[in-house]
Amino acid sequence: MPTLVKQPTRITAQGNKPKLIDEYVGRVNTDTAGLSLAHMRSPQGWEEPGQRPEFDEFTLVFKGMLRVRHEGGAIDVAAGQAVIAHRGEWIQYSTPAEGGAEYIAVCLPAFSMNTVHRDDQ
């Protein structure tokens, strides 16, 4: 039988400014370890520490622009575009443009603080 997810759980975000993370599917809201699905809203100027996660992250931007820094440079992901960050790669997310960004992130397996491996702050 399908499982209805009635509402997300608000997750505390890392970074220099407040960011809204609503997890619909994942370790916190549905006790799902295989995948996480979260709705993100980050303000202009938000930046999180770099990380080298043990999961793939698939991100679809709906509004604004998400910058993804990596060891070879940076990719600006505009509304209507997506990006795949592969497990084991160093990445850093930010939203430097006016208006910030709104996007969906899917992590496979699910996001975990134990497997994200953030840079020391």
Side-chain angles (χ1 to χ4, degrees), residues 14-15 47-53 69-71 88-93 111 113 115-121:
Q14 296 287 315
E47 181 177 282
E48 72 177 355
Q51 57 195 32
R52 192 177 298 274
R69 288 183 51 221
H70 54 93
E71 290 175 312
E89 295 180 329
W90 181 86
I91 53 170
Q92 180 187 39
Y93 296 105
F111 178 92
M113 289 302 291
T115 62
V116 70
H117 306 297
R118 290 214 167 103
D119 295 347
D120 293 333
Q121 296 186 35

Side-chain angles (χ1 to χ4, degrees), residues 1-120:
M1 180 169 121
T3 301
L4 174 64
V5 179
K6 292 183 180 182
Q7 63 187 28
T9 297
R10 179 69 43 92
I11 306 291
T12 302
Q14 296 287 315
N16 62 335
K17 291 185 171 189
K19 169 184 161 181
L20 300 178
I21 301 175
D22 290 327
E23 180 186 278
Y24 284 83
V25 177
R27 296 177 191 274
V28 175
N29 199 48
T30 60
D31 196 30
T32 302
L35 176 140
S36 58
L37 170 66
H39 180 193
M40 316 279 203
R41 286 159 300 223
S42 58
Q44 176 182 343
W46 169 82
E47 181 177 282
E48 72 177 355
Q51 57 195 32
R52 192 177 298 274
E54 294 178 29
F55 49 80
D56 293 322
E57 187 163 1
F58 306 84
T59 305
L60 172 60
V61 178
F62 291 114
K63 294 180 185 174
M65 185 269 290
L66 177 69
R67 178 163 292 152
V68 183
R69 288 183 51 221
H70 54 93
E71 290 175 312
I75 300 171
D76 288 343
V77 187
Q81 296 180 325
V83 64
I84 302 169
H86 302 280
R87 67 186 77 199
E89 295 180 329
W90 181 86
I91 53 170
Q92 180 187 39
Y93 296 105
S94 65
T95 50
E98 183 176 339
E102 182 175 355
Y103 53 100
I104 296 290
V106 175
C107 297
L108 185 65
F111 178 92
S112 165
M113 289 302 291
N114 294 329
T115 62
V116 70
H117 306 297
R118 290 214 167 103
D119 295 347
D120 293 333

